[in-house]
Amino acid sequence: MLLIKCPYCEEERPELEFRNAGEAHLVRANPIIEQSDDDFAGFLYFRQNPKGLQFERWRHIHGCGRFFNAVRDSVSDKFLTVYKAGDPRPDIDTLLSPAAAEPEPPATKRPRAKKVEV
């Protein structure tokens, strides 16, 4: 199962708690009434669908309910980073640098309590 980290809840949760809400960082032309039908259809329906890194909008529907953005590799389904809605788009070169690819050190485990028989 794919785990996704919510930047608001600050914990990883199963993908079933989330919904993809499409491409991130779309900007609607203002005022919309002055757009041609073709331009508006392009904004409303047509999206980039590149193979590789994608900037996506997600919603934590079974958690905090908030929208956030993510950078995901569409080939491997790996999330490179997640960030709050309204935050600037992260730099891809920084995300792909070898320092960013280093795995986090494993969390230390607490020893289990011993079972006491009565």
Side-chain angles (χ1 to χ4, degrees):
M1 176 173 290
L2 183 64
L3 295 176
I4 302 172
K5 182 175 182 177
C6 175
Y8 296 102
C9 299
E10 296 184 356
E11 60 182 31
E12 288 187 333
R13 303 298 303 158
E15 66 183 301
L16 300 174
E17 290 192 12
F18 298 89
R19 290 293 178 267
N20 185 305
E23 189 176 338
H25 304 287
L26 295 176
V27 178
R28 180 173 26 182
N30 211 2
I32 196 168
I33 195 72
E34 293 176 7
Q35 277 189 303
S36 70
D37 289 343
D38 289 339
D39 289 342
F40 185 69
F43 164 77
L44 193 59
Y45 298 112
F46 301 114
R47 298 288 180 256
Q48 296 180 21
N49 191 16
K51 182 177 182 180
L53 295 183
Q54 296 187 18
F55 290 89
E56 299 175 326
R57 190 170 174 94
W58 286 78
R59 184 172 183 212
H60 192 183
I61 59 168
H62 293 296
C64 62
R66 297 180 79 175
F67 284 94
F68 63 93
N69 294 327
V71 180
R72 182 180 66 89
D73 186 344
S74 63
V75 176
S76 66
D77 246 0
K78 179 182 176 185
F79 281 75
L80 273 66
T81 190
V82 294
Y83 53 102
K84 296 178 179 180
D87 285 354
R89 179 188 294 226
D91 181 46
I92 290 184
D93 294 331
T94 305
L95 292 173
L96 296 177
S97 71
E102 292 179 12
E104 294 181 15
T108 56
K109 294 183 180 179
R110 292 187 287 164
R112 289 186 173 185
K114 293 184 179 179
K115 217 179 205 184
V116 178
E117 294 184 27
V118 181

PDB file of all heavy atoms in Angstrom, residues 76-96:
ATOM      1  N   SER A  76       7.074   5.610 -11.104  1.00  0.00           N
ATOM      2  CA  SER A  76       7.276   4.760  -9.928  1.00  0.00           C
ATOM      3  C   SER A  76       6.219   4.969  -8.843  1.00  0.00           C
ATOM      4  O   SER A  76       6.182   4.214  -7.875  1.00  0.00           O
ATOM      5  CB  SER A  76       8.650   5.034  -9.323  1.00  0.00           C
ATOM      6  OG  SER A  76       8.714   6.353  -8.817  1.00  0.00           O
ATOM      7  N   ASP A  77       5.387   5.989  -8.963  1.00  0.00           N
ATOM      8  CA  ASP A  77       4.391   6.373  -7.956  1.00  0.00           C
ATOM      9  C   ASP A  77       5.022   6.894  -6.670  1.00  0.00           C
ATOM     10  O   ASP A  77       4.363   7.019  -5.658  1.00  0.00           O
ATOM     11  CB  ASP A  77       3.450   5.216  -7.614  1.00  0.00           C
ATOM     12  CG  ASP A  77       2.036   5.500  -8.034  1.00  0.00           C
ATOM     13  OD1 ASP A  77       1.775   6.573  -8.588  1.00  0.00           O
ATOM     14  OD2 ASP A  77       1.160   4.640  -7.795  1.00  0.00           O
ATOM     15  N   LYS A  78       6.302   7.218  -6.708  1.00  0.00           N
ATOM     16  CA  LYS A  78       7.002   7.711  -5.526  1.00  0.00           C
ATOM     17  C   LYS A  78       6.732   9.204  -5.349  1.00  0.00           C
ATOM     18  O   LYS A  78       6.822   9.976  -6.290  1.00  0.00           O
ATOM     19  CB  LYS A  78       8.504   7.476  -5.670  1.00  0.00           C
ATOM     20  CG  LYS A  78       9.298   7.974  -4.499  1.00  0.00           C
ATOM     21  CD  LYS A  78      10.780   7.762  -4.696  1.00  0.00           C
ATOM     22  CE  LYS A  78      11.542   8.361  -3.530  1.00  0.00           C
ATOM     23  NZ  LYS A  78      12.981   8.284  -3.753  1.00  0.00           N
ATOM     24  N   PHE A  79       6.397   9.594  -4.122  1.00  0.00           N
ATOM     25  CA  PHE A  79       6.209  10.994  -3.778  1.00  0.00           C
ATOM     26  C   PHE A  79       7.569  11.564  -3.377  1.00  0.00           C
ATOM     27  O   PHE A  79       8.190  11.079  -2.433  1.00  0.00           O
ATOM     28  CB  PHE A  79       5.226  11.145  -2.613  1.00  0.00           C
ATOM     29  CG  PHE A  79       3.799  11.009  -3.029  1.00  0.00           C
ATOM     30  CD1 PHE A  79       3.262   9.770  -3.322  1.00  0.00           C
ATOM     31  CD2 PHE A  79       2.989  12.118  -3.137  1.00  0.00           C
ATOM     32  CE1 PHE A  79       1.939   9.636  -3.715  1.00  0.00           C
ATOM     33  CE2 PHE A  79       1.664  12.005  -3.529  1.00  0.00           C
ATOM     34  CZ  PHE A  79       1.147  10.758  -3.817  1.00  0.00           C
ATOM     35  N   LEU A  80       8.036  12.582  -4.114  1.00  0.00           N
ATOM     36  CA  LEU A  80       9.312  13.204  -3.776  1.00  0.00           C
ATOM     37  C   LEU A  80       9.161  14.172  -2.616  1.00  0.00           C
ATOM     38  O   LEU A  80      10.027  14.256  -1.762  1.00  0.00           O
ATOM     39  CB  LEU A  80       9.890  13.931  -4.986  1.00  0.00           C
ATOM     40  CG  LEU A  80      10.742  13.068  -5.914  1.00  0.00           C
ATOM     41  CD1 LEU A  80       9.953  12.003  -6.587  1.00  0.00           C
ATOM     42  CD2 LEU A  80      11.486  13.914  -6.876  1.00  0.00           C
ATOM     43  N   THR A  81       8.058  14.904  -2.612  1.00  0.00           N
ATOM     44  CA  THR A  81       7.794  15.819  -1.507  1.00  0.00           C
ATOM     45  C   THR A  81       6.317  16.202  -1.515  1.00  0.00           C
ATOM     46  O   THR A  81       5.631  16.067  -2.521  1.00  0.00           O
ATOM     47  CB  THR A  81       8.675  17.092  -1.590  1.00  0.00           C
ATOM     48  OG1 THR A  81       8.541  17.837  -0.380  1.00  0.00           O
ATOM     49  CG2 THR A  81       8.295  17.969  -2.760  1.00  0.00           C
ATOM     50  N   VAL A  82       5.851  16.659  -0.379  1.00  0.00           N
ATOM     51  CA  VAL A  82       4.503  17.234  -0.248  1.00  0.00           C
ATOM     52  C   VAL A  82       4.671  18.596   0.397  1.00  0.00           C
ATOM     53  O   VAL A  82       5.612  18.821   1.159  1.00  0.00           O
ATOM     54  CB  VAL A  82       3.566  16.337   0.599  1.00  0.00           C
ATOM     55  CG1 VAL A  82       3.288  15.028  -0.091  1.00  0.00           C
ATOM     56  CG2 VAL A  82       4.119  16.093   1.981  1.00  0.00           C
ATOM     57  N   TYR A  83       3.768  19.515   0.078  1.00  0.00           N
ATOM     58  CA  TYR A  83       3.853  20.855   0.655  1.00  0.00           C
ATOM     59  C   TYR A  83       2.462  21.463   0.709  1.00  0.00           C
ATOM     60  O   TYR A  83       1.566  21.080  -0.028  1.00  0.00           O
ATOM     61  CB  TYR A  83       4.836  21.742  -0.110  1.00  0.00           C
ATOM     62  CG  TYR A  83       4.611  21.822  -1.603  1.00  0.00           C
ATOM     63  CD1 TYR A  83       3.989  22.928  -2.165  1.00  0.00           C
ATOM     64  CD2 TYR A  83       5.008  20.801  -2.454  1.00  0.00           C
ATOM     65  CE1 TYR A  83       3.790  23.012  -3.533  1.00  0.00           C
ATOM     66  CE2 TYR A  83       4.811  20.873  -3.821  1.00  0.00           C
ATOM     67  CZ  TYR A  83       4.203  21.981  -4.350  1.00  0.00           C
ATOM     68  OH  TYR A  83       3.987  22.059  -5.696  1.00  0.00           O
ATOM     69  N   LYS A  84       2.294  22.404   1.606  1.00  0.00           N
ATOM     70  CA  LYS A  84       0.983  23.005   1.851  1.00  0.00           C
ATOM     71  C   LYS A  84       0.510  23.813   0.655  1.00  0.00           C
ATOM     72  O   LYS A  84       1.318  24.391  -0.081  1.00  0.00           O
ATOM     73  CB  LYS A  84       1.037  23.889   3.091  1.00  0.00           C
ATOM     74  CG  LYS A  84       1.322  23.106   4.350  1.00  0.00           C
ATOM     75  CD  LYS A  84       1.430  24.004   5.554  1.00  0.00           C
ATOM     76  CE  LYS A  84       1.704  23.168   6.796  1.00  0.00           C
ATOM     77  NZ  LYS A  84       1.824  23.988   7.994  1.00  0.00           N
ATOM     78  N   ALA A  85      -0.789  23.839   0.455  1.00  0.00           N
ATOM     79  CA  ALA A  85      -1.382  24.649  -0.606  1.00  0.00           C
ATOM     80  C   ALA A  85      -1.017  26.106  -0.357  1.00  0.00           C
ATOM     81  O   ALA A  85      -1.049  26.584   0.777  1.00  0.00           O
ATOM     82  CB  ALA A  85      -2.888  24.472  -0.619  1.00  0.00           C
ATOM     83  N   GLY A  86      -0.650  26.793  -1.419  1.00  0.00           N
ATOM     84  CA  GLY A  86      -0.242  28.190  -1.298  1.00  0.00           C
ATOM     85  C   GLY A  86       1.260  28.369  -1.177  1.00  0.00           C
ATOM     86  O   GLY A  86       1.757  29.466  -1.397  1.00  0.00           O
ATOM     87  N   ASP A  87       1.980  27.308  -0.809  1.00  0.00           N
ATOM     88  CA  ASP A  87       3.438  27.391  -0.774  1.00  0.00           C
ATOM     89  C   ASP A  87       3.974  27.385  -2.201  1.00  0.00           C
ATOM     90  O   ASP A  87       3.351  26.815  -3.102  1.00  0.00           O
ATOM     91  CB  ASP A  87       4.037  26.205  -0.006  1.00  0.00           C
ATOM     92  CG  ASP A  87       3.857  26.332   1.496  1.00  0.00           C
ATOM     93  OD1 ASP A  87       3.375  27.392   1.946  1.00  0.00           O
ATOM     94  OD2 ASP A  87       4.183  25.372   2.210  1.00  0.00           O
ATOM     95  N   PRO A  88       5.130  27.997  -2.431  1.00  0.00           N
ATOM     96  CA  PRO A  88       5.673  28.026  -3.799  1.00  0.00           C
ATOM     97  C   PRO A  88       6.080  26.633  -4.273  1.00  0.00           C
ATOM     98  O   PRO A  88       6.375  25.748  -3.466  1.00  0.00           O
ATOM     99  CB  PRO A  88       6.882  28.946  -3.693  1.00  0.00           C
ATOM    100  CG  PRO A  88       7.240  28.963  -2.256  1.00  0.00           C
ATOM    101  CD  PRO A  88       5.980  28.710  -1.491  1.00  0.00           C
ATOM    102  N   ARG A  89       6.092  26.484  -5.573  1.00  0.00           N
ATOM    103  CA  ARG A  89       6.499  25.226  -6.207  1.00  0.00           C
ATOM    104  C   ARG A  89       7.975  24.957  -5.876  1.00  0.00           C
ATOM    105  O   ARG A  89       8.817  25.825  -6.061  1.00  0.00           O
ATOM    106  CB  ARG A  89       6.312  25.381  -7.707  1.00  0.00           C
ATOM    107  CG  ARG A  89       6.713  24.192  -8.520  1.00  0.00           C
ATOM    108  CD  ARG A  89       6.661  24.522  -9.988  1.00  0.00           C
ATOM    109  NE  ARG A  89       5.303  24.773 -10.414  1.00  0.00           N
ATOM    110  CZ  ARG A  89       4.763  24.270 -11.516  1.00  0.00           C
ATOM    111  NH1 ARG A  89       5.476  23.542 -12.331  1.00  0.00           N
ATOM    112  NH2 ARG A  89       3.533  24.528 -11.833  1.00  0.00           N
ATOM    113  N   PRO A  90       8.310  23.755  -5.382  1.00  0.00           N
ATOM    114  CA  PRO A  90       9.712  23.461  -5.083  1.00  0.00           C
ATOM    115  C   PRO A  90      10.542  23.313  -6.348  1.00  0.00           C
ATOM    116  O   PRO A  90      10.019  22.981  -7.413  1.00  0.00           O
ATOM    117  CB  PRO A  90       9.652  22.146  -4.309  1.00  0.00           C
ATOM    118  CG  PRO A  90       8.345  21.551  -4.626  1.00  0.00           C
ATOM    119  CD  PRO A  90       7.425  22.665  -5.021  1.00  0.00           C
ATOM    120  N   ASP A  91      11.836  23.543  -6.216  1.00  0.00           N
ATOM    121  CA  ASP A  91      12.762  23.431  -7.344  1.00  0.00           C
ATOM    122  C   ASP A  91      13.050  21.950  -7.613  1.00  0.00           C
ATOM    123  O   ASP A  91      13.471  21.223  -6.708  1.00  0.00           O
ATOM    124  CB  ASP A  91      14.052  24.176  -7.018  1.00  0.00           C
ATOM    125  CG  ASP A  91      15.046  24.116  -8.152  1.00  0.00           C
ATOM    126  OD1 ASP A  91      14.650  24.338  -9.312  1.00  0.00           O
ATOM    127  OD2 ASP A  91      16.232  23.843  -7.868  1.00  0.00           O
ATOM    128  N   ILE A  92      12.829  21.504  -8.838  1.00  0.00           N
ATOM    129  CA  ILE A  92      13.007  20.094  -9.189  1.00  0.00           C
ATOM    130  C   ILE A  92      14.471  19.686  -9.072  1.00  0.00           C
ATOM    131  O   ILE A  92      14.770  18.573  -8.619  1.00  0.00           O
ATOM    132  CB  ILE A  92      12.456  19.811 -10.602  1.00  0.00           C
ATOM    133  CG1 ILE A  92      10.944  19.910 -10.569  1.00  0.00           C
ATOM    134  CG2 ILE A  92      12.887  18.440 -11.092  1.00  0.00           C
ATOM    135  CD1 ILE A  92      10.257  19.572 -11.845  1.00  0.00           C
ATOM    136  N   ASP A  93      15.405  20.547  -9.472  1.00  0.00           N
ATOM    137  CA  ASP A  93      16.824  20.204  -9.386  1.00  0.00           C
ATOM    138  C   ASP A  93      17.240  19.918  -7.945  1.00  0.00           C
ATOM    139  O   ASP A  93      18.036  19.017  -7.683  1.00  0.00           O
ATOM    140  CB  ASP A  93      17.689  21.319  -9.967  1.00  0.00           C
ATOM    141  CG  ASP A  93      17.476  21.475 -11.462  1.00  0.00           C
ATOM    142  OD1 ASP A  93      17.137  20.463 -12.125  1.00  0.00           O
ATOM    143  OD2 ASP A  93      17.641  22.597 -11.975  1.00  0.00           O
ATOM    144  N   THR A  94      16.691  20.676  -6.999  1.00  0.00           N
ATOM    145  CA  THR A  94      16.993  20.451  -5.590  1.00  0.00           C
ATOM    146  C   THR A  94      16.427  19.111  -5.136  1.00  0.00           C
ATOM    147  O   THR A  94      17.071  18.378  -4.396  1.00  0.00           O
ATOM    148  CB  THR A  94      16.401  21.582  -4.728  1.00  0.00           C
ATOM    149  OG1 THR A  94      16.889  22.835  -5.210  1.00  0.00           O
ATOM    150  CG2 THR A  94      16.771  21.418  -3.272  1.00  0.00           C
ATOM    151  N   LEU A  95      15.224  18.784  -5.592  1.00  0.00           N
ATOM    152  CA  LEU A  95      14.603  17.516  -5.216  1.00  0.00           C
ATOM    153  C   LEU A  95      15.366  16.315  -5.772  1.00  0.00           C
ATOM    154  O   LEU A  95      15.403  15.257  -5.145  1.00  0.00           O
ATOM    155  CB  LEU A  95      13.163  17.457  -5.722  1.00  0.00           C
ATOM    156  CG  LEU A  95      12.173  18.398  -5.070  1.00  0.00           C
ATOM    157  CD1 LEU A  95      10.836  18.340  -5.789  1.00  0.00           C
ATOM    158  CD2 LEU A  95      11.995  18.056  -3.609  1.00  0.00           C
ATOM    159  N   LEU A  96      15.938  16.472  -6.954  1.00  0.00           N
ATOM    160  CA  LEU A  96      16.634  15.362  -7.604  1.00  0.00           C
ATOM    161  C   LEU A  96      18.113  15.270  -7.246  1.00  0.00           C
ATOM    162  O   LEU A  96      18.789  14.356  -7.700  1.00  0.00           O
ATOM    163  CB  LEU A  96      16.481  15.481  -9.121  1.00  0.00           C
ATOM    164  CG  LEU A  96      15.062  15.349  -9.648  1.00  0.00           C
ATOM    165  CD1 LEU A  96      15.029  15.561 -11.148  1.00  0.00           C
ATOM    166  CD2 LEU A  96      14.450  14.022  -9.273  1.00  0.00           C
TER     167      LEU A  96
END
